[in-house]
Amino acid sequence: MNTDARIERARLLLHQSRYELAAAELHLALAETPNNPLVHALFSECLTGQKKYAEAVEAAERAIGCGPDVVIGYYALAFAQFRRNRFPEAEKAVGESIRLDPTDPNLHALRAAIRAEREDWTGALIAADRGLEQDPEHGWCGNLRAMALVHLGRRDEAGAALEDALAREPDDAFTHANRGWGFLHEGNPKQALVHFRE
């Protein structure tokens, strides 16, 4: 199996949250291409999934060292720092990834998530809106936008955004949870329960 095939297999395993198997594929890929920034970044994502945050940061920094103009290294670093609750460091890394590629909605979504964790709801809304400018149907950005709207007291807008998201993806658990919290904020526990059950 060549490096590209190993990377694709590792991505599939990562998507399935099978981090140890993905890491094994990436170890083999690193043996073949030790300076591949993509492989280091994906390995960082495996380590983040396993809650090995310090090692994940090191792998992401290696990715950046191998490819200082490759977006995924900064994304991996931002994600690892975000998961370990190092929000200023995460914000700095995601900012660099957005500088390199302002058109990727996933980068804006991560920035919105970081700002939401810091309870910077205006900043989260701005970041989510920037991601939705790139992809109006981006689920993560849409959910983060709705969360920010709820916290900013704009519940009607949040409810409409979540209903629209549920119309597109009726089985999305995160959107149902968000809609449930929105109904709780509105004082409607019966409707909230319906969405929490979903």
Side-chain angles (χ1 to χ4, degrees):
M1 189 181 297
N2 65 26
T3 300
D4 290 340
R6 291 191 195 289
I7 289 170
E8 286 311 307
R9 179 164 164 70
R11 279 187 156 148
L12 175 65
L13 292 165
L14 266 170
H15 184 71
Q16 297 169 344
S17 302
R18 296 168 70 187
Y19 303 116
E20 289 181 18
L21 292 173
E25 289 295 331
L26 293 167
H27 274 299
L28 293 170
L30 282 172
E32 296 163 1
T33 57
N35 295 317
N36 186 324
L38 174 59
V39 177
H40 285 290
L42 293 174
F43 187 58
S44 173
E45 290 184 32
C46 286
L47 293 166
T48 297
Q50 295 172 306
K51 299 182 181 178
K52 297 177 181 178
Y53 302 123
E55 294 170 59
V57 167
E58 289 176 16
E61 288 172 343
R62 279 193 295 279
I64 293 166
C66 294
D69 294 327
V70 179
V71 173
I72 195 170
Y74 295 98
Y75 178 86
L77 178 59
F79 194 66
Q81 297 287 31
F82 169 65
R83 290 291 200 188
R84 74 192 300 208
N85 299 321
R86 300 266 175 94
F87 303 125
E89 294 89 342
E91 180 87 34
K92 182 179 177 188
V94 82
E96 185 59 22
S97 69
I98 290 169
R99 185 190 69 76
L100 291 168
D101 184 4
T103 66
D104 186 339
N106 292 312
L107 305 178
H108 295 285
L110 181 53
R111 175 178 268 174
I114 293 163
R115 290 177 175 176
E117 285 294 325
R118 299 177 91 176
E119 296 185 9
D120 172 9
W121 298 110
T122 300
L125 179 60
I126 290 167
D129 281 340
R130 289 201 176 129
L132 290 167
E133 287 170 12
Q134 303 305 318
D135 178 1
E137 296 185 3
H138 193 269
W140 195 15
C141 284
N143 273 292
L144 287 161
R145 181 177 192 277
M147 284 174 61
L149 288 169
V150 167
H151 283 88
L152 292 169
R154 294 162 60 182
R155 292 188 180 108
D156 290 342
E157 286 179 73
L162 289 169
E163 289 300 327
D164 186 48
L166 286 171
R168 281 193 311 274
E169 290 187 56
D171 296 326
D172 187 84
F174 187 41
T175 306
H176 276 290
N178 260 341
R179 191 65 182 120
W181 284 111
F183 277 123
L184 280 181
H185 280 281
E186 293 170 16
N188 190 339
K190 285 185 181 179
Q191 278 299 107
L193 189 57
V194 169
H195 287 281
F196 287 137
R197 280 186 180 141
E198 282 296 318

